[in-house]
Amino acid sequence: MSTDFRPGFSGGFLVCAVFVSGFIILANGEALIQCGTRSVTVRTSQSRIVGGRDAVEGAWPWQVSLQVTSRHAHMCGATVISHWWLLSAAHCFPATNGWNNKNQWRAVMGLRELGNSDKWTISRKIDTLILHEGYNSVHNDVAVLKVDKAIRFGDYIRAACLPKPGKFHIEKWNHCHVTGWGLMEENGVPARILQEAGVKLIPLETCQQSNWYGHYVSDKMICAGFAGGGIDACQGDSGGPLSCQLKGSDRFYVVGIVNWGQGCAQRFKPGVYAATSMYGEWIEQKTGISISQSEDASAQYMDENSSAEAESSTEKEPLSSNTNNGVGSPTSLVHRNSPGQTISLLNLLIVLYHFCISCCF
């Protein structure tokens, strides 16, 4: 008579194996999506939105199309910064035509080609619209929007990282890109497919020279593009992200918000962006998002297979909205608009893991 010590694969064993596998995956962080990461590998682009290059599907999963609901027409861009909040430009919501009314807008995520949704494309209504109280012309041109339903994250939709609050340091960033569905050339036609442009950050003192933009550029702004022009954002890109990688990291941060410029892609007239790091405390105050004080240890979010309705544990209740609007831009300067639950789940899996060890083996 022989004795077989090989374990049998009972139903209980398989159930335990599933729980153990889940524990291992979550413990390794594979069930989490880090901000500023993308599921596709993309070559660095030096193309331009003005006459530019089509973005690869999933290359910029935090890009949002803000559309007027009555026409479903793209008007501005925005950036996903959490399961509930978007970042955009205040000038996209003028009171003069009623666009400061949140009910006039919808946000579309996971979109590459306007008018051609994919199975992962989602749309959200705007629950709260908050413009910066100090918005006036080209200054403090920042807005945040809360959606009415949590945004599911996955391969094609996820959040960009936010730089820690404080002065913008140009030397910390590289591989910067601006993205959007704006005009393909000055006074031209808008893009239907999301465009990307590789741009260089320009020192503030250079952009403040008299033959550039002079005193119109403040220390709360970023200039990006090229001295010779040719590569730039344009009308319709307003509110969208200037995405840069932190040196030594593969994550992208929304370091700037498309604001304004003189024409598009002109010599010595690069794109001008609101520096998000200078508005970090304001973003925290209005949204309840706690921006990491360590730029190499940013937020992680549950993926689309996890609890999509769960708000990020770093968010608190937002303050009341503000819909103040500024006045027109200076002559020739134009706007470019047309993890607490993770820990709880991990603890649950730990308990189940020990249960399986004691009961199933």
Side-chain angles (χ1 to χ4, degrees):
M1 187 175 89
S2 64
T3 303
D4 190 349
F5 291 99
R6 291 175 297 177
F9 287 88
S10 66
F13 176 88
L14 290 176
V15 170
C16 290
V18 170
F19 281 127
V20 171
S21 298
F23 167 79
I24 294 173
I25 291 173
L26 189 59
N28 288 328
E30 293 176 13
L32 300 177
I33 293 178
Q34 295 178 331
C35 67
T37 60
R38 47 193 187 182
S39 62
V40 299
T41 301
V42 183
R43 292 183 304 167
T44 299
S45 167
Q46 288 299 328
S47 62
R48 50 203 169 118
I49 292 184
V50 178
R53 163 176 163 172
D54 295 347
V56 175
E57 191 81 74
W60 309 105
W62 41 86
Q63 176 75 49
V64 180
S65 171
L66 292 180
Q67 303 180 358
V68 176
T69 55
S70 60
R71 294 179 288 170
H72 287 183
H74 170 83
M75 298 303 298
C76 276
T79 306
V80 178
I81 56 173
S82 83
H83 284 293
W84 291 94
W85 289 95
L86 313 176
L87 183 66
S88 191
H91 77 259
C92 288
F93 311 99
T96 52
N97 55 10
W99 286 357
N100 62 335
N101 182 345
K102 66 181 183 180
N103 297 322
Q104 293 284 347
W105 295 89
R106 73 169 187 167
V108 183
M109 282 72 67
L111 187 66
R112 180 172 180 260
E113 182 178 357
L114 294 176
N116 185 19
S117 298
D118 291 295
K119 61 182 181 181
W120 51 78
T121 304
I122 62 173
S123 175
R124 294 287 185 267
K125 296 178 181 179
I126 305 304
D127 178 76
T128 306
L129 171 60
I130 307 175
L131 310 189
H132 196 287
E133 297 85 353
Y135 168 57
N136 186 357
S137 186
V138 296
H139 300 287
N140 301 312
D141 194 359
V142 180
V144 288
L145 302 85
K146 186 179 182 183
V147 295
D148 67 328
K149 184 180 179 182
I151 301 168
R152 291 177 177 268
F153 287 173
D155 287 344
Y156 300 98
I157 303 173
R158 53 184 64 179
C161 297
L162 286 165
K164 70 177 182 180
K167 183 178 180 181
F168 179 76
H169 296 281
I170 190 173
E171 69 278 1
K172 297 171 65 173
W173 308 95
N174 58 16
H175 301 145
C176 297
H177 284 72
V178 59
T179 50
W181 290 273
L183 301 186
M184 304 283 280
E185 61 182 4
E186 190 172 343
N187 299 319
V189 296
R192 288 194 60 81
I193 297 177
L194 181 65
Q195 299 292 295
E196 62 177 24
V199 293
K200 290 184 178 180
L201 300 176
I202 297 171
L204 191 63
E205 55 271 20
T206 299
C207 208
Q208 289 175 330
Q209 294 179 133
S210 59
N211 62 328
W212 288 58
Y213 284 127
H215 67 276
Y216 288 123
V217 175
S218 74
D219 61 0
K220 289 187 174 183
M221 301 176 186
I222 299 171
C223 291
F226 297 89
I231 300 178
D232 198 4
C234 205
Q235 277 66 47
D237 294 319
S238 281
L242 173 63
S243 304
C244 298
Q245 286 181 317
L246 181 70
K247 289 182 178 179
S249 168
D250 61 353
R251 296 194 200 180
F252 279 93
Y253 291 71
V254 54
V255 303
I257 304 166
V258 179
N259 274 182
W260 58 274
Q262 182 171 317
C264 300
Q266 294 184 11
R267 182 177 174 85
F268 300 143
K269 305 300 179 187
V272 184
Y273 305 77
T276 53
S277 65
M278 299 296 288
Y279 296 95
E281 292 182 359
W282 182 85
I283 293 170
E284 288 183 324
Q285 179 190 18
K286 299 301 180 182
T287 67
I289 296 173
S290 180
I291 302 172
S292 172
Q293 295 302 302
S294 174
E295 286 174 343
D296 59 357
S298 299
Q300 294 175 322
Y301 300 99
M302 299 302 293
D303 67 16
E304 63 182 353
N305 295 316
S306 303
S307 178
E309 297 303 318
E311 189 167 357
S312 171
S313 64
T314 58
E315 297 179 32
K316 308 177 187 70
E317 282 299 312
L319 302 182
S320 59
S321 63
N322 180 288
T323 55
N324 292 338
N325 285 274
V327 296
S329 304
T331 303
S332 79
L333 303 184
V334 295
H335 291 128
R336 281 163 169 188
N337 61 315
S338 45
Q341 292 160 332
T342 302
I343 294 174
S344 299
L345 182 58
L346 180 58
N347 289 337
L348 175 60
L349 286 173
I350 290 172
V351 171
L352 291 172
Y353 170 75
H354 286 295
F355 172 80
C356 288
I357 292 297
S358 62
C359 297
C360 301
F361 299 97

